[in-house]
Amino acid sequence: QEGSLCAQHCLNNLLQGEYFSPVELSSIAQQLDEEERMRMAEGGVSSEEYRTFLQQPSVNMDDSGFFSIQVISNALKVWGLELILFNSPEYQRLGIDPINEKSFICNYKEHWFTVRKLGKQWFNLNSLLMGPELISDTYLALFLAQLQQEGYSIFVVKGDLPDCEADQLLQMIRVQQMQRPKLIGEEAAQSRDQRLSRGDVDQAIEVNHPFDGTGMLDEDEENFQKALALSRQEIDMEDEEADLRRAIQLSIQGSRQSELSGSLPQNVPQSSHSSQTDSLSSEELRRRRQAYFEKQQQQLQQQDQTPNLKNKATLSSSTPEPGAGNDMSEEDMLQAAMNMSLESVRNHLNSEEEK
């Protein structure tokens, strides 16, 4: 719904088209006001009744967008349609089943909406809803009776309504509605209430359980702090392992580059080495690094099966022999660093599993 123009939406929903604008309805209301003024002037323009009438606001429209039943009735006369009061004693005595009618216009105070039959099904076309609401044939009479009990005035629309696409389509198919459409603003109001309620709960927790660093935490808060500490510890471990994996990958890359440089002739310029390295694709480098890393893992598994040999290998790889001095090659030093890194990771993981 746009503003308070429920009468305009009511008419357009009934006719299923943009047939009436606020300007057109205002023109009808002004015409009705002028006709009433002329009738009042017949009693004399100097009479007290006429002066009082001129001072009163229009009963056919107001600044909010409300239009009277007279405006709606006159607008429908253009289409050859007539309104009959459904909840009048005269109409009720006729005993007409509502299901045999075609449409209704309902009003309560300053709100108007349409109930219409499209195809073979009834729909509540209230402009305050997010969409049409399906009304079953068995529920229609109860729905209208409930509106009457709430104080609504119900009018039966008599005459032939203009053809519309919705009526033609629903003559061939039937609608199934799984969920009733919400009122405009209902979902936003619910989410706002939920946010307010969560804010009230947080405020109540803060008031009832203040934490200024001097008091002791209760059991739930203490468990929560422990969970946070464990999560931080796991994150730190993951970061350390990620850094270690990156270091190993960089070491493997450096080892591979040293192997390539060692296999080149001594008289080849450095630019030739760079061009050969650049000629290797990233996929080829990745496969070679992976093969090298798998080979190292196989060696570590063999060392795990023979603990004594593993200790000796670790000792010999991590500690240079006496008298060796600086004769250890760069590849041997890289291998020793890798073995020490992997051994520290394995020990760390074993200790965490035991915990």
Side-chain angles (χ1 to χ4, degrees), residues 150-203:
E150 293 175 358
Y152 274 82
S153 298
I154 304 174
F155 300 89
V156 184
V157 181
K158 291 291 186 181
D160 295 330
L161 295 169
D163 293 334
C164 65
E165 182 180 359
D167 186 61
Q168 296 173 1
L169 182 62
L170 295 180
Q171 292 287 349
M172 299 179 292
I173 62 174
R174 293 182 65 87
V175 170
Q176 291 184 352
Q177 191 169 47
M178 306 302 297
Q179 187 177 3
R180 174 191 174 278
K182 295 182 179 181
L183 289 170
I184 293 177
E186 180 180 357
E187 187 171 355
Q190 289 179 353
S191 61
R192 183 174 63 252
D193 293 341
Q194 290 176 358
R195 289 196 301 269
L196 291 175
S197 62
R198 285 198 297 267
D200 294 340
V201 171
D202 295 340
Q203 185 177 3

Side-chain angles (χ1 to χ4, degrees), residues 136-148:
S136 64
D137 293 346
T138 56
Y139 182 63
L140 177 64
L142 181 61
F143 178 76
L144 296 176
Q146 181 180 356
L147 291 179
Q148 287 180 285

Side-chain angles (χ1 to χ4, degrees), residues 1-6 8-9 22 64 127 184:
Q1 174 168 316
E2 180 183 355
S4 300
L5 300 173
C6 54
Q8 175 202 357
H9 301 308
S64 69
S127 58
I184 293 177

Side-chain angles (χ1 to χ4, degrees), residues 70-96:
Q70 290 83 6
V71 176
I72 293 178
S73 179
N74 282 24
L76 291 177
K77 285 179 181 178
V78 179
W79 294 91
L81 300 174
E82 182 183 1
L83 294 180
I84 298 177
L85 190 61
F86 172 75
N87 45 357
S88 65
E90 293 78 12
Y91 187 84
Q92 294 293 332
R93 279 197 296 268
L94 296 177
I96 301 176

Side-chain angles (χ1 to χ4, degrees), residues 2-220:
E2 180 183 355
S4 300
L5 300 173
C6 54
Q8 175 202 357
H9 301 308
C10 173
L11 289 170
N12 290 336
N13 286 336
L14 173 68
L15 302 174
Q16 286 294 290
E18 297 292 335
Y19 293 105
F20 291 101
S21 67
V23 176
E24 293 170 337
L25 295 179
S26 298
S27 177
I28 296 175
Q30 291 174 359
Q31 182 180 357
L32 290 173
D33 290 343
E34 182 62 22
E35 292 176 358
E36 293 176 3
R37 188 194 66 79
M38 292 177 63
R39 285 196 299 269
M40 293 296 298
E42 293 176 356
V45 294
S46 60
S47 63
E48 185 68 23
E49 291 80 4
Y50 182 75
R51 289 197 298 269
T52 303
F53 172 78
L54 293 179
Q55 293 176 358
Q56 293 177 350
S58 172
V59 297
N60 294 302
M61 67 175 183
D62 60 23
D63 295 337
S64 69
F66 169 77
F67 295 99
S68 65
I69 182 61
Q70 290 83 6
V71 176
I72 293 178
S73 179
N74 282 24
L76 291 177
K77 285 179 181 178
V78 179
W79 294 91
L81 300 174
E82 182 183 1
L83 294 180
I84 298 177
L85 190 61
F86 172 75
N87 45 357
S88 65
E90 293 78 12
Y91 187 84
Q92 294 293 332
R93 279 197 296 268
L94 296 177
I96 301 176
D97 191 345
I99 200 173
N100 295 324
E101 302 291 354
K102 296 180 180 179
S103 58
F104 301 93
I105 287 181
C106 308
N107 168 253
Y108 180 69
K109 294 184 179 180
E110 296 184 353
H111 182 62
W112 299 91
F113 69 92
T114 295
V115 178
R116 175 177 170 169
K117 192 173 189 179
L118 293 169
K120 300 178 182 179
Q121 296 174 283
W122 285 90
F123 294 90
N124 176 14
L125 304 180
N126 194 332
S127 58
L128 292 179
L129 295 176
M130 297 295 293
E133 179 185 14
L134 179 64
I135 301 176
S136 64
D137 293 346
T138 56
Y139 182 63
L140 177 64
L142 181 61
F143 178 76
L144 296 176
Q146 181 180 356
L147 291 179
Q148 287 180 285
Q149 186 177 2
E150 293 175 358
Y152 274 82
S153 298
I154 304 174
F155 300 89
V156 184
V157 181
K158 291 291 186 181
D160 295 330
L161 295 169
D163 293 334
C164 65
E165 182 180 359
D167 186 61
Q168 296 173 1
L169 182 62
L170 295 180
Q171 292 287 349
M172 299 179 292
I173 62 174
R174 293 182 65 87
V175 170
Q176 291 184 352
Q177 191 169 47
M178 306 302 297
Q179 187 177 3
R180 174 191 174 278
K182 295 182 179 181
L183 289 170
I184 293 177
E186 180 180 357
E187 187 171 355
Q190 289 179 353
S191 61
R192 183 174 63 252
D193 293 341
Q194 290 176 358
R195 289 196 301 269
L196 291 175
S197 62
R198 285 198 297 267
D200 294 340
V201 171
D202 295 340
Q203 185 177 3
I205 292 176
E206 184 177 355
V207 171
N208 294 328
H209 300 283
F211 179 68
D212 55 0
T214 58
M216 295 184 64
L217 295 172
D218 59 18
E219 184 176 0
D220 292 338

Side-chain angles (χ1 to χ4, degrees), residues 249-305:
Q249 291 176 358
L250 291 174
S251 300
I252 295 172
Q253 182 179 359
S255 175
R256 184 59 192 170
Q257 291 178 354
S258 63
E259 290 179 2
L260 291 175
S261 61
S263 61
L264 290 174
Q266 296 297 325
N267 57 356
V268 177
Q270 184 66 27
S271 59
S272 300
H273 169 71
S274 301
S275 61
Q276 183 177 356
T277 304
D278 295 338
S279 63
L280 293 175
S281 64
S282 59
E283 182 65 22
E284 179 67 20
L285 287 174
R286 187 191 66 81
R287 285 198 298 266
R288 292 186 181 184
R289 293 170 187 170
Q290 183 177 2
Y292 187 85
F293 186 66
E294 291 176 352
K295 181 179 178 181
Q296 299 300 323
Q297 286 182 333
Q298 291 177 359
Q299 293 179 358
L300 290 174
Q301 291 176 357
Q302 293 175 358
Q303 293 175 2
D304 289 339
Q305 294 176 358

